[in-house]
Amino acid sequence: MAHHDQFPPQQQEPPGLTGAMDPTPDHGEASYQGSGRLSGRRALITGGDSGIGRAAAIAFAREGADVAIGYLAVEQEDAEETARWVREAGRTACLLPGDLTDESFARGLAQQAADALGGLDVLVNNAGYQMARGTSIDTLDSADVDRVIRTNLYALLWVTQGALRHLPRGGAIVNISSIQAYEPSGTLVDYASTKAAINNVTVNLAGELGARGIRVNAVAPGPVWTPLQPATQDAEHLTEFGANVPLGRAGQPAEVAPAIVFLASERDASYVSGTVLGVTGGRPVF
Ligand code: NAD
Ligand code: MG
């Protein structure tokens, strides 16, 4: 999508599926060209079935990495499509369905990935959940808030704890934050707060893990066309999705993946840790 086009009104139940989206997102299937940036690395990408996670999986595979993908069981068709692209790039894909709000599953996920891939070098904490609600804080419901915080913050900590039993010197963690950490929307107060927390955790872990030679960074996307949007925003809001950023349009998952590759790559980002890279279409991340 070269310039701002209105998205057709559409709605899905969370977590949403790629096949029901109009237009189909661009995950770099036809465009991403690798150059060995992640040669021989083994990566776990949570929420790697769709959206930004799928684009990262395709890019990682074309950069030479084997990829394990976490996702919800109801997203099986999306996960299989991502795995197909990873295998087409000549790399190993491993599918790990399960609910990250379940502490024991989340804590064990990195072990499953390491068992399947023979080790683990890169963790991308990409799974996330939001639900737009009214603009008043009165409309916050505890069960919703709990799901948002467990998915975006608790699970990130649990998966990371598991991964740190495997990540070697030269390993990397990339957390997916959001423009919402900087410019929070009234309709996403709980979600935005978890993204601010993820930035804070990123800096904190970079401090702790530097001595182990493990780099920790975050990518903060702006509005990106993924299943999360039709599954969690109202249909009307979507028609203007992305129109209010300086570049005047929503981004595609394919436009976020290169930032994740950069931060994951020991070749390109060996001295980059504790930072947040904005991919926002022009909105500020400071
Ligand atoms: P997406 O729906 O394609 O990906 C999110 C994934 O999270 C889902 O595919 C699902 O597999 C996973 N997930 C959610 N709840 C889970 C659970 N309980 N257990 C296991 N997996 C679970 O949407 P996306 O936009 O690509 O989202 C990826 C990340 O990008 C999220 O962290 C999101 O907050 C962030 N983000 C997205 C946007 C955007 O505009 N799309 C903007 C800023 C940040
Ligand atoms: Mg999905």
Side-chain angles (χ1 to χ4, degrees):
M1 217 176 287
H3 257 287
H4 173 55
D5 291 319
Q6 292 210 327
F7 291 99
Q10 56 200 286
Q11 199 84 68
Q12 295 193 48
E13 289 300 308
L17 291 172
T18 308
M21 294 177 73
D22 175 23
T24 301
D26 177 5
H27 310 94
E29 292 91 337
S31 57
Y32 192 91
Q33 295 189 322
S35 62
R37 284 185 178 83
L38 299 173
S39 194
R41 306 275 262 176
R42 296 148 303 184
L44 168 60
I45 305 175
T46 65
D49 59 300
S50 60
I52 293 164
R54 177 185 291 180
I58 291 171
F60 274 32
R62 292 185 188 177
E63 296 289 359
D66 293 330
V67 184
I69 292 160
Y71 60 101
L72 288 161
V74 294
E75 301 175 297
Q76 187 66 26
E77 66 185 68
D78 269 350
E80 283 173 14
E81 172 74 359
T82 302
R84 202 174 63 72
W85 285 109
V86 169
R87 290 172 188 139
E88 199 167 291
R91 307 307 309 185
T92 298
C94 156
L95 295 182
L96 303 173
D99 187 342
L100 286 170
T101 67
D102 174 336
E103 179 171 352
S104 67
F105 172 77
R107 285 187 179 282
L109 184 62
Q111 182 71 54
Q112 283 196 63
D115 287 347
L117 303 180
L120 190 65
D121 305 292
V122 176
L123 168 63
V124 182
N125 281 310
N126 166 75
Y129 178 69
Q130 65 177 25
M131 182 51 72
R133 45 186 66 91
T135 46
S136 165
I137 189 102
D138 282 344
T139 61
L140 281 178
D141 167 84
S142 291
D144 286 346
V145 174
D146 199 52
R147 178 166 172 184
V148 168
I149 296 179
R150 284 179 83 83
T151 307
N152 298 1
L153 191 55
Y154 274 83
L156 180 145
L157 296 171
W158 293 328
V159 174
T160 300
Q161 284 180 324
L164 285 172
R165 308 221 315 269
H166 301 279
L167 295 184
R169 183 163 285 276
I173 298 174
V174 182
N175 297 324
I176 306 304
S177 176
S178 171
I179 185 63
Q180 288 290 325
Y182 304 88
E183 296 187 321
S185 301
T187 54
L188 294 171
V189 61
D190 49 352
Y191 172 83
S193 76
T194 64
K195 294 302 185 176
I198 287 170
N199 287 348
N200 188 278
V201 167
T202 298
V203 172
N204 203 324
L205 283 178
E208 176 183 340
L209 299 175
R212 287 172 58 178
I214 297 171
R215 298 176 301 101
V216 187
N217 292 286
V219 170
V224 181
W225 185 236
T226 70
L228 185 71
Q229 299 301 338
T232 66
Q233 302 273 11
D234 64 52
E236 307 311 298
H237 174 98
L238 274 188
T239 59
E240 287 297 315
F241 182 64
N244 64 346
V245 305
L247 289 175
R249 62 174 178 86
Q252 293 293 325
E255 297 179 289
V256 183
I260 302 172
V261 169
F262 167 70
L263 294 170
S265 168
E266 187 66 7
R267 187 174 93 190
D268 290 347
S270 56
Y271 201 56
V272 182
S273 194
T275 202
V276 183
L277 179 45
V279 185
T280 61
R283 293 286 211 181
V285 291
F286 52 80

